[in-house]
Amino acid sequence: MNIALSKRQDTMQPKLKKKKVLIADDAHETRRSTRLMLSMVEEVEVVAIALDGTQAIEMAQQRKPDIVILDLNMPRVNGLAAYKKIVAENPHTACIIISAEKDPKSVQTALDMGIEHYLIKPFTADELENAVRAIVHKLGREEVNDPAPIDNTAELRKLADEYIQTKRTDEEAVRVFEELLPLPDCELRWVQTLAMIYVVRQRWSKLKALTELMQQRTK
């Protein structure tokens, strides 16, 4: 968890090109609304819209999207199966699964596959934007070979407060709270939130390590 924070100034950051997004959903209204929501996120551009999983795989081969937004239940090939095919050819493709079902097993399967986010329909523009921006930041860091998830402590603190308020428990939230953990002035509420996320996601080994760390600090 002891990952050094980058101290580079924002002015030193290279300007990154827009990330390409593919949307796949068999519902016309969802395709339309998702594209409309993404039009407000300046870091991305929609390059393809598929009507089902099979078409999503074909379009991904042609357009090489950075991010795919896939409906879980689609005709012929569902979202998880489509993502397996897409990521097999383009391993760096990030994915957001969208679904009307809040099935814990499906959510866990998606996370185990490395899918970054799972949004429940009907999701809001803010929920989609937060998920997309988190992926854009991650992809941007990989491009500039910067191992630090967040560029500065101030941004980490801001994100932590936001994630506590919105009760986020995804991988991006885990990364933020884990990055705050080594700080000398790490707040107890951050630790408690991280512990709660570990419980929700059944990360028992990490929860044990966190407990031992806090016990050492309180001695």
Side-chain angles (χ1 to χ4, degrees):
M1 295 182 186
N2 295 323
I3 303 176
L5 297 178
S6 171
K7 295 183 179 180
R8 292 181 301 170
Q9 298 296 322
D10 291 341
T11 55
M12 298 296 292
Q13 295 290 341
K15 186 175 181 180
L16 302 176
K17 63 181 180 180
K18 289 187 175 185
K19 302 303 178 187
K20 297 183 293 184
V21 178
L22 178 150
I23 300 169
D25 197 300
D26 58 310
H28 170 74
E29 181 58 30
T30 301
R31 297 194 302 270
R32 187 195 68 81
S33 61
T34 302
R35 183 171 189 173
L36 181 61
M37 292 177 189
L38 291 178
S39 68
M40 306 301 293
V41 184
E42 60 182 11
E43 293 92 341
V44 302
E45 61 176 337
V46 177
V47 298
I49 298 180
L51 307 184
D52 57 43
T54 299
Q55 195 174 70
I57 296 169
E58 295 171 351
M59 288 185 169
Q61 292 173 340
Q62 299 168 3
R63 303 307 302 270
K64 301 292 190 295
D66 301 293
I67 305 169
V68 291
I69 300 176
L70 308 174
D71 180 38
L72 178 63
N73 296 313
M74 291 187 289
R76 298 198 286 176
V77 179
N78 67 33
L80 297 181
Y83 176 66
K84 283 184 180 180
K85 293 282 188 179
I86 292 170
V87 80
E89 184 166 330
N90 298 296
H92 298 294
T93 305
C95 180
I96 298 172
I97 287 291
I98 57 178
S99 175
E101 299 180 9
K102 195 174 183 179
D103 175 29
K105 184 176 181 181
S106 296
V107 175
Q108 191 58 52
T109 298
L111 295 175
D112 291 343
M113 289 173 59
I115 292 171
E116 281 80 358
H117 298 275
Y118 190 112
L119 299 182
I120 304 298
K121 298 178 182 179
F123 48 85
T124 66
D126 284 342
E127 289 174 329
L128 179 61
E129 180 176 344
N130 286 338
V132 170
R133 286 188 186 277
I135 292 176
V136 168
H137 286 311
K138 176 184 175 182
L139 295 177
R141 291 194 302 269
E142 292 174 352
E143 286 184 6
V144 298
N145 195 29
D146 184 354
I150 303 296
D151 285 336
N152 56 65
T153 305
E155 187 174 356
L156 275 172
R157 295 174 185 274
K158 181 179 178 182
L159 286 175
D161 291 339
E162 176 186 328
Y163 293 169
I164 289 175
Q165 184 176 5
T166 57
K167 299 181 180 180
R168 283 184 60 168
T169 60
D170 56 21
E171 287 298 329
E172 179 67 11
V174 170
R175 283 192 289 269
V176 167
F177 290 115
E178 286 183 348
E179 283 297 310
L180 285 166
L181 193 59
L183 299 181
D185 59 344
C186 178
E187 296 185 19
L188 179 60
R189 62 198 180 99
W190 298 337
V191 178
Q192 292 173 333
T193 301
L194 182 59
M196 179 272 294
I197 295 175
Y198 286 160
V199 171
V200 170
R201 309 196 71 166
Q202 298 184 2
R203 304 282 178 82
W204 307 123
S205 60
K206 285 198 170 187
L207 180 62
K208 180 180 178 181
L210 178 61
T211 302
E212 293 174 351
L213 176 63
M214 297 312 298
Q215 288 175 340
Q216 293 173 4
R217 288 187 177 182
T218 55
K219 285 183 179 179

